[in-house]
Amino acid sequence: MAAFGAVDMALWDIKGKLAGMPVYQLLGGKSREGALVYAHATGADLPDLMDSIAYYVDEGYKAVRVQCGIPGMPSASYAVPEKKGDIRNYITDYAGIRPKVEVWDTGKYMRYMPDALMEIRDHFGPDLHILHDVHHRLLPREAAEFAKAVEPAGLYWLEDPTPAEDQNALRLIRQHSTTPIAVGEVFNSIWECNRLIENELIDFIRVAVTYAGGITHVRRIVDLAGLHNVRTGFHGAPSHSPISMAAQAHLNAWAPNFGIQEYLVLGTSECNALFPSEHRMENGLMHVSEAPGLGVDFDEDEAGRYDYTPGSHPVVRLEDGTMWNY
Ligand SMILES: [Mg+2]
C-alpha cells in the first residue's frame, strides 16, 4: 500500500499541475483556513515535560502530545529521552542498526501517569489540547481502567491504548470511559478500520497517506469516518516525508471531518533545501500551499550530498525479558 500511495500522490501532483490548481481544490475545496496541528513534548521526568510543553505553547501550538519518564521504570519509556534537560528531541536515540531495548512496567505506568496528566492540565489550564500516546502497551482491561482514570484530565485524545490487532479491546474501553480514543497509525487499508468506524468505537482515525494507499484510498476512509462522526488525526511521525505531509496538508484543508494533524518540527535548513515548499505553520495551524499540485518538490541533487544512515525503532521487553508491544 505504501507503493500504491507513492504512485497515487505523484498522480494527484501531476493532475493538480495540469489543472493549475492545488490538490485541495481537486478534492472539492477548503473547509477551513488552517489545520490544527500538535507537537511532541517530552521529558525524562515530569518537570522536564512541563518545560517542554511550555516551549511548544510559547511557539504558538494549541495542542501538544505529552510523554514523560516514569519514576522507577528501568529505562526511558516511549518517546522519552534518557537524559534530563533534553526536552525537544528523543528521535536521535533511534539511530544505529541494532535497536535499543526499552524495559516496560505497566503497573508503574498506570500508577503514575493519570496524576501526571492531571498536573499538566492544572498547570496549563483548560484551553490547551493535551494528547497522550500509550503506544499499544496496555491489555484491554488495563486500557479501560486507564482511560477511565485519565478522564478528569480532559484529554483531546488517548492514542493506541492497546495493540491494534484486537479490535474488541476498543469496545471494552468504550464501555468504561468517555475519554476520546485515537487509533490507526499501523493500519494499511480501509478494511482494517471500517468496523471500528461503523461501530463508533473510536473518535479519531490516524491512517496516513504513506501506508494507506495515498490520497485516493485515505479519502475513502475519511468519507466513511465522516458518516460516523469519527474525525481525522493523520499520523505524522518522522517516518513520513515532507511529500506525504504535503499530501496530508491538502486532505486536512478539505476534509469536513478533520480533527488534528500530528506535526514534528523537522524544518531544518537541510530538510527545507531537500523538500522546498510553501506549506507553513503559523500559530499552531498548518496553512496549505496554494501552488499547483502538492506544492512540494524534491531536490535529487541536494539528496546526493547525503549518505544513508540506518536506524531502528527500539524493542520493548518486560523486566523478566518477555518481548512486549512497541
Ligand atoms: Mg502514535
Side-chain angles (χ1 to χ4, degrees):
M1 288 303 272
F4 288 154
V7 174
D8 181 83
M9 281 184 261
L11 290 173
W12 280 95
D13 188 43
I14 291 165
K15 181 150 276 192
K17 283 171 175 159
L18 284 171
M21 289 182 187
V23 165
Y24 76 79
Q25 291 287 14
L26 304 184
L27 293 168
K30 263 187 197 175
S31 297
R32 59 196 51 80
E33 292 303 318
L36 180 69
V37 303
Y38 70 89
H40 283 193
T42 183
D45 58 17
L46 185 55
D48 268 18
L49 174 58
M50 292 288 199
D51 289 347
S52 182
I53 299 167
Y55 168 81
Y56 287 110
V57 169
D58 282 350
E59 291 284 300
Y61 286 88
K62 303 173 195 304
V64 184
R65 190 190 78 169
V66 303
Q67 311 290 138
C68 72
I70 308 296
M73 192 82 90
S75 68
S77 54
Y78 169 68
V80 167
E82 281 166 13
K83 293 195 306 286
K84 261 192 81 60
D86 211 356
I87 63 167
R88 287 184 52 196
N89 189 14
Y90 56 90
I91 301 295
T92 50
D93 290 349
Y94 293 173
I97 295 173
R98 289 183 64 82
K100 68 171 187 168
V101 176
E102 290 177 1
V103 181
W104 175 254
D105 184 323
T106 296
K108 287 187 171 68
Y109 172 77
M110 287 188 55
R111 285 190 294 276
Y112 184 75
M113 208 61 215
D115 288 345
L117 290 169
M118 201 58 227
E119 268 190 61
I120 293 166
R121 171 59 71 206
D122 286 343
H123 187 83
F124 288 95
D127 290 336
L128 182 67
H129 297 309
I130 300 170
L131 299 77
H132 180 65
D133 191 351
V134 182
H135 228 254
H136 317 113
R137 307 238 171 134
L138 298 179
L139 300 175
R141 191 214 60 77
E142 295 163 347
E145 181 186 326
F146 189 82
K148 189 161 63 173
V150 301
E151 277 176 13
L155 295 184
Y156 186 88
W157 80 31
L158 185 67
E159 180 175 337
D160 290 330
T162 50
E165 307 86 83
D166 176 10
Q167 300 203 338
N168 285 330
L170 280 306
R171 189 180 304 281
L172 187 68
I173 297 167
R174 214 28 146 204
Q175 285 165 344
H176 291 275
S177 169
T178 54
T179 294
I181 303 297
V183 304
E185 65 179 56
V186 298
F187 292 162
N188 301 304
S189 98
I190 196 167
W191 301 108
E192 288 168 292
C193 55
N194 63 325
R195 285 191 301 152
L196 292 178
I197 292 169
E198 286 163 356
N199 290 311
E200 302 182 4
L201 298 180
I202 57 174
D203 299 278
F204 294 91
I205 182 68
R206 291 192 29 75
V207 290
V209 293
T210 317
Y211 306 129
I215 292 171
T216 304
H217 193 83
V218 169
R219 179 174 59 162
R220 293 199 170 99
I221 296 174
V222 172
D223 276 334
L224 177 66
L227 295 178
H228 295 279
N229 294 300
V230 173
R231 290 186 285 161
T232 65
F234 298 139
H235 196 207
S239 48
H240 301 274
S241 77
I243 294 173
S244 64
M245 292 300 285
Q248 290 183 174
H250 290 277
L251 282 165
N252 292 339
W254 155 74
N257 52 324
F258 167 78
I260 198 167
Q261 171 65 57
E262 182 176 28
Y263 178 75
L264 265 73
V265 188
L266 299 175
T268 60
S269 53
E270 293 92 337
C271 187
N272 293 340
L274 278 169
F275 300 96
S277 91
E278 285 164 32
H279 298 278
R280 64 179 209 289
M281 226 284 285
E282 221 174 83
N283 290 327
L285 302 182
M286 175 66 80
H287 294 268
V288 68
S289 163
E290 294 295 333
L294 292 178
V296 63
D297 280 319
F298 174 55
D299 188 330
E300 289 187 42
D301 293 335
E302 184 69 17
R305 297 176 48 217
Y306 298 94
D307 291 328
Y308 169 63
T309 307
S312 307
H313 278 103
V315 293
V316 177
R317 293 184 185 278
L318 305 182
E319 269 185 289
D320 66 1
T322 304
M323 184 76 89
W324 203 244
N325 299 302
Y326 173 66

